[in-house]
Amino acid sequence: MKTFQSITLILLLACMVSACKKIEDLQKDPAAVYDPAPKLIFTGLLMRASDAPWSQDQRHNQYMTQNEAYYAGQPYNWTTGSYEDAYGALRDVNRMEVEAQKAGELGAVYLSMAKFFKAYFFCRATAMFGDIPMSEAIKGEADNNFQPKYDTQQAVYAQVLNWLEEANTELEAHAAQGASLEGDFFYDGQIDKWRKLVNSFKLRVLMDLSKRADDTPDLRVKERFAELLANPSQFPLILSNQDNFQLLYNTINMYPLWPSDGIVIKRDARNTLGATYVDILKESRDPRLLIQALPAEGLRADPDNPFTAFQGGKTGDLQSTLLKQATEGQLSMINFDYWIASPSGIPAIQLGASEVQFALAEGVNRGWAAGNAAEHFELGIEESMKFYGVPADQISTFLAGNPYKGNNEDGLRQILTQKYVAFFENSGKQAFFEQRRTGVPTFSVGPANANNNEIPKRWAYPTAEYSTNEANLKEALQRQFKGSDTQNDIMWLIK
């Protein structure tokens, strides 16, 4: 009897242990990946690094207007922003680093790519807000620090530049060793092209710092620019469209304008081109306009000048005014046959050759290094026009009719204006940041503006920071804006 009871007890305990193990197993999500390969995280980061065209950002860039009051327009009435875009991605970067370290030699290239992505996403955050958590950020799980200090914007940019230089050096070594970069749907694992992007992004950062070039010797803005220009083998750049950092759409990842039912309606009075953009192209008789847009139905063109049939809506006008104009055929719509000829649409450039060429032209114009600004200016226009398929003879005619005016204020304005044109429906908020930095082009302000007739300069910090990290946030606000936190405060970057 005792033997039977002992056996029963053992079996009961065994069942209990077995049951406990099964419960633990059941608590795990069978669809979840608990130890993801670095390449899987890398693929996800590529999507996070991509900004889609035809967004509210592009309306605030004054490329388009939204004319129907049911939908959000372009009133510049934002207040707070979100950290999720940048810091959500940075959490993934941190996890990629953890998994890459586990992978040993095979993961080394992903550690180098992590430096680029940290630079990329911290730049996104600081450009929007000002000072941000960086040195103590993303350490809640590792160091139990859920209230990170705010680093100065100058310190953020110093670290960003260091990361980019380290990434460039390391990627060169990885490429020489034949390292593999799997999970890459942008450049198909071609590390040399990633090097070009790293250095081109560094060039963007240097231009973003133009207002600080003379009073921050530790950042070496002018010196770093000169090094990029003088050492193409050490610092390769994106100089032609074939190396563009751009998102390609397809029948699975369909173009944002492609309708869900596949039926393209080639008229949309709710969305028309913006006057800030159209007026630039009309004045210079830019052939890109004839490809991108349709003539306004209610306008009669001058037989000698087809550009007179195009008109954009003023961003500052009320939506009711814009809708009336569009309904009456006074405003130009997009050329549907060009933009949505298929579900794959047109690639969305995140950072491209035209931007790089114009940045090189700007630096030379500003006297940061010796070089041929006119050549880079023309190449920037050429690469942008090639992207739209403008014929070579039309490019030559445009360049002949719009020659570079020299390394002076007029020449600088030309460069910045053409850079704005090249950003059309590309690169997310970058056109807005450029206009904020330079004042070019002049943005439209009118009765629709809900920000006291001002174009905002930043985003206020997320409201959650006031409850979760109040002391550090308020210290940063006092340091930057004497305690203020509005969309009109002027951050260090653009003072």
Side-chain angles (χ1 to χ4, degrees), residues 457-487:
K457 300 300 183 187
R458 60 181 289 270
W459 281 256
Y461 290 106
T463 53
E465 283 290 280
Y466 283 90
S467 58
T468 60
N469 197 15
E470 183 178 16
N472 288 315
L473 173 60
K474 288 189 173 180
E475 187 275 331
L477 289 173
Q478 189 62 40
R479 179 173 65 227
Q480 297 175 92
F481 314 123
K482 297 182 179 179
S484 176
D485 186 15
T486 75
Q487 65 270 35

Side-chain angles (χ1 to χ4, degrees), residues 85-227:
D85 177 44
Y87 286 96
L90 286 164
R91 286 192 291 272
D92 289 348
V93 175
N94 181 68
R95 184 60 188 270
M96 185 172 74
E97 288 181 298
V98 171
E99 298 303 327
Q101 288 169 346
K102 294 178 184 177
E105 186 176 341
L106 293 176
V109 67
Y110 293 98
L111 292 175
S112 300
M113 288 307 305
K115 292 181 179 180
F116 166 73
F117 281 117
K118 284 190 287 188
Y120 192 85
F121 288 110
F122 275 120
C123 268
R124 281 196 172 201
T126 194
M128 286 182 65
F129 299 101
D131 293 1
I132 55 169
M134 181 192 64
S135 58
E136 295 182 359
I138 322 297
K139 292 187 176 181
E141 182 178 346
D143 298 346
N144 197 34
N145 181 0
F146 296 97
Q147 295 178 320
K149 71 175 184 179
Y150 276 66
D151 295 89
T152 67
Q153 199 167 46
Q154 182 173 347
V156 171
Y157 276 104
Q159 179 60 74
V160 160
L161 288 167
N162 288 339
W163 274 326
L164 293 172
E165 290 177 350
E166 290 170 5
N168 174 57
T169 301
E170 292 172 14
L171 288 175
E172 180 181 22
H174 292 313
Q177 295 166 3
S180 175
L181 184 59
E182 298 181 74
D184 175 17
F185 59 81
F186 268 91
Y187 288 134
D188 196 26
Q190 297 179 69
I191 295 176
D192 287 340
K193 291 198 173 187
W194 279 103
R195 272 191 78 201
K196 292 180 180 180
L197 174 61
V198 167
N199 291 303
S200 298
F201 185 73
K202 177 183 171 183
L203 180 61
R204 176 189 282 185
V205 171
L206 294 174
M207 303 323 296
D208 289 344
L209 288 163
S210 65
K211 286 182 174 291
R212 301 272 67 89
D214 292 320
D215 60 11
T216 53
D218 58 312
L219 295 180
R220 300 180 58 250
V221 174
K222 297 178 182 180
E223 292 84 354
R224 280 175 158 134
F225 174 86
E227 290 167 359

